[in-house]
Amino acid sequence: LLASSEKDLSWISKIQVNQPAVLRRAQQIQARRTVKKEWQAAWLLKAVTFIDLTTLSGDDTSSNVQRLCYKAKYPIREDLLKALNVHDKGITTAAVCVYPARVCDAVKALKAAGCAIPVASVATGFPAGQTHLKTRLEEIRLAVEDGATEIDVVINRALVLTGQWEALYDEIRQFRKACGAAHLKTILATGELGSLTNVYKASMIAMMAGSDFIKTSTGKETVNATFPVAVVMLRAIRDFFWKTGNKIGFKPAGGIRSAKESLAWLSLVKEELGAEWLTPALFRIGASTLLSDIERQIYHHVTGRYAAYHDLPMS
């Protein structure tokens, strides 16, 4: 990591992303046929372990956070896991993700369920990031005090759009400091950054400033996780690894709803960064409805028919 005094970010302005090449690569991923049968079931179960099971609604209450935490601990129906002989593998989601005001509820619910799934909290004026820096930093500290061990922060998009790279670096450094021992996941809100070149630059700055993960979107923008953006962010992670030896995690979020899509994301990460990135420590999927579709596909694989609504009441 660079100390503030020795950072020289002039090279950032010279970076250019080859957009046609990125779009070609993104099309390749989408055109590929997916794995089938038991291989598909195995990959889908793996995908479950990468999910940050999320609820970020204005009408969140302690009871639906409790339900979310129960689902995080028991993501797939027990009899389906038994049929696949993986019921003893301890399959849970990677984390639950909530608003700062709901962190206490989530910590309490997971403790009552007797499991150690981490609680992630969004912060820093999520989703727009348009609040005073002092308030944004306080929000991080309060979420950590309440028991969040992962903080998903949003960057100030204006700093990217106006090319203020040093100011962006300094802000994320302050987020990092406020997190203390908690993991810092930095949301770039790529749909609002204007260009793929800006996505690469913001990714680099976020990693240099000490982010443990870089994340595509809040899920509240009009454009969320897309494959072209993912290719650029994954190449930035690879470049950063080659330069520093530090492995930074990747989290696509927003709009990933189908089991089939989740498999495309897994294979993209495996191809771009290697199998060693396919671990919850380095790869997450931010999703609220994806898990239900994965459970439906597993149900179909086991029983040969699609689930009726009442078959999977907790999804």
Side-chain angles (χ1 to χ4, degrees), residues 69-70 73-74 92 106-117:
C69 292
Y70 182 85
K73 188 182 180 185
Y74 303 107
T92 69
V107 170
K108 196 172 150 192
L110 289 167
K111 197 174 174 185
C115 70
I117 297 171

Side-chain angles (χ1 to χ4, degrees), residues 6-7 38 42 52 55 71 81 85 89 127 129 138 141-142 172 190 223 239 253 261 275 278:
E6 62 185 89
K7 68 180 188 290
E38 60 267 37
D52 278 0
T55 183
K71 191 65 187 163
L81 294 177
N85 201 24
K89 294 278 189 283
E138 188 60 14
R141 286 191 280 267
L142 291 170
I172 300 172
T190 53
V223 178
D239 292 347
E261 275 176 275
L278 285 183

